[in-house]
């Protein structure tokens, strides 16, 4: 009993040492239009103003059926942005985690049924660790319940979600966007694959994700790696090394060639 009391007192002492401002931000979401923050909403406010849904689905990151309490992402966006998120001024939404990981999605996809912002793992009565690093996905984990609503089809799945930002992609990431390139070209097709699958971790000329290396600066990957090696690594990095980069076994040779065309196009602009 005495040991339990001592441990409790130590735990309370540690909690009291954490600034109140830090604790207050743990269960909050920040909403921004371009680079201008417009609102911060707490989990309690979300619960108070939005309908809570109980969902069960096959979660590809856990590899099993999961059971969560959640809000529809449509309702969350409507509460955070009002009708602004339907404006043509914004082409995409960036869902950024507390570690800097950012998944980009076309705004038009976010109106589809199946998108949920989970806030409680019913199975674990809290949060079951996820991913290679086995981290807690809370306080907010963005999921999709449709069978084809996966990262392979450019749907954003973000755990430890901290902020949602509406952007006009070509203005926010001009170094990534292939200006002046036809939408029917293989370069543009490669850009779309890069944007949907790679940008959340990798960057082009320091614009994009911060988890993986920049693929165009200071030197493009196509300048120092053979095309066949790049394609093989993108398709199945697990054959080469242990890393957080996922395999992309579904990518066809044509899609991989389109990615190479995009990288080569960007390398010529350096």
């Amino acid at each position: 009993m005495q040991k339990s009391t001592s441990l409790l007192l130590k735990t309370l002492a540690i909690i009291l040492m954490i600034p109140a401002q830090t604790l207050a931000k743990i269960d909050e979401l920040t909403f921004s239009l371009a680079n201008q923050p417009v609102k911060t909403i707490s989990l309690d406010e979300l619960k108070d103003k939005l309908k809570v849904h109980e969902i069960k689905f096959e979660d590809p990151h856990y590899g099993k059926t999961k059971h969560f309490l959640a809000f529809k992402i449509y309702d969350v966006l409507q509460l955070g942005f009002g009708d602004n998120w339907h404006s043509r001024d914004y082409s995409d939404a960036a869902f950024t985690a507390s570690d800097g990981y950012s998944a980009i999605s076309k705004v038009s996809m976010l109106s589809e049924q199946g998108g949920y912002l989970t806030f409680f793992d019913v199975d674990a009565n809290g949060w079951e660790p996820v991913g290679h690093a086995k981290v807690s996905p809370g306080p907010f984990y963005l999921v999709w319940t449709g069978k084809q609503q996966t990262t392979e089809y450019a749907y954003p799945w973000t755990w430890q979600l901290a902020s949602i930002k509406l952007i006009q992609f070509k203005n926010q990431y001009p170094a990534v966007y292939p200006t002046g390139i036809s939408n029917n070209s293989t370069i543009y097709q490669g850009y779309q694959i890069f944007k949907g699958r790679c940008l959340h971790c990798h960057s082009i000329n320091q614009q994009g994700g911060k988890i993986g290396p920049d693929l165009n600066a200071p030197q493009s990957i196509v300048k120092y790696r053979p095309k066949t090696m790049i394609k093989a690594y993108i398709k199945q990095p697990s054959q080469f090394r242990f890393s957080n980069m996922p395999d992309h076994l579904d990518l066809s040779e044509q899609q991989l060639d389109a990615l190479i065309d995009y990288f080569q196009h960007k390398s010529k602009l350096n």
Side-chain angles (χ1 to χ4, degrees):
M1 181 68 178
Q2 194 171 17
K3 286 184 178 179
S4 298
T5 303
S6 176
L7 180 60
L8 176 61
L9 289 173
K10 288 180 180 178
T11 303
L12 286 172
I14 292 171
I15 293 173
L16 289 172
M17 289 173 66
I18 301 174
Q21 187 179 12
T22 301
L23 288 173
K25 288 185 178 180
I26 289 177
D27 294 340
E28 291 181 341
L29 268 180
T30 299
F31 297 80
S32 302
L33 295 174
N35 293 318
Q36 183 63 44
V38 294
K39 189 180 292 186
T40 298
I41 301 179
S42 68
L43 175 57
D44 287 341
E45 187 176 352
L46 289 168
K47 288 179 181 177
D48 184 55
K49 295 184 177 179
L50 300 180
K51 181 179 179 180
V52 174
H53 299 265
E54 195 166 339
I55 61 173
K56 279 187 178 182
F57 65 100
E58 189 70 19
D59 188 315
H61 292 110
Y62 283 103
K64 62 182 178 180
T65 300
K66 289 295 294 178
H67 184 190
F68 295 105
L69 297 182
F71 312 107
K72 286 187 175 181
I73 191 60
Y74 185 101
D75 295 341
V76 173
L77 294 171
Q78 196 65 35
L79 180 63
F81 295 114
D83 289 334
N84 281 320
W85 78 283
H86 300 291
S87 170
R88 292 185 179 181
D89 292 338
Y90 307 104
S91 62
D92 294 81
F95 295 88
T96 304
S98 55
D99 65 356
Y101 172 99
S102 189
I104 309 292
S105 169
K106 290 181 179 178
V107 169
S108 58
M109 298 172 71
L110 303 176
S111 295
E112 296 179 20
Q113 294 294 317
Y116 290 90
L117 187 68
T118 69
F119 64 88
F120 187 78
D121 183 339
V122 178
D123 299 320
N125 193 29
W127 289 107
E128 179 182 357
V130 68
H132 294 293
K134 296 299 179 185
V135 298
S136 167
F140 300 108
Y141 173 30
L142 177 61
V143 304
W144 296 84
T145 58
K147 289 184 178 180
Q148 291 190 317
Q149 290 176 317
T150 63
T151 54
E152 285 78 13
Y153 292 94
Y155 285 86
W157 289 67
T158 309
W159 54 69
Q160 297 183 349
L161 183 64
S163 69
I164 304 173
K165 179 166 64 175
L166 296 180
I167 62 173
Q168 182 58 250
F169 189 87
K170 63 178 68 176
N171 296 336
Q172 191 77 23
Y173 297 98
V176 178
Y177 188 80
T179 303
I181 296 299
S182 168
N183 291 5
N184 297 322
S185 69
T186 57
I187 292 172
Y188 195 85
Q189 292 166 17
Y191 150 73
Q192 289 183 309
I193 297 169
F194 179 82
K195 177 187 173 187
R197 300 206 185 195
C198 314
L199 186 65
H200 45 258
C201 291
H202 296 281
S203 57
I204 296 290
N205 292 4
Q206 298 186 302
Q207 292 183 9
K210 308 300 181 187
I211 295 174
D214 191 303
L215 298 180
N216 200 56
Q219 192 176 98
S220 171
I221 189 172
V222 296
K223 294 286 184 68
Y224 59 88
R225 288 283 186 269
K227 177 180 175 179
T228 52
M229 171 67 76
I230 297 171
K231 290 168 59 177
Y233 189 84
I234 291 172
K235 193 173 184 73
Q236 196 171 8
S238 63
Q239 277 195 331
F240 294 84
R241 63 180 62 173
F242 294 117
S243 75
N244 290 327
M245 183 172 169
D247 290 342
H248 299 283
L249 298 176
D250 62 302
L251 287 180
S252 66
E253 279 297 302
Q254 290 77 13
Q255 289 174 310
L256 291 167
D257 284 336
L259 268 173
I260 297 296
D261 288 348
Y262 170 69
F263 293 144
Q264 290 176 332
H265 168 74
K266 282 298 172 181
S267 73
K268 295 173 184 177
L269 302 179
N270 276 356

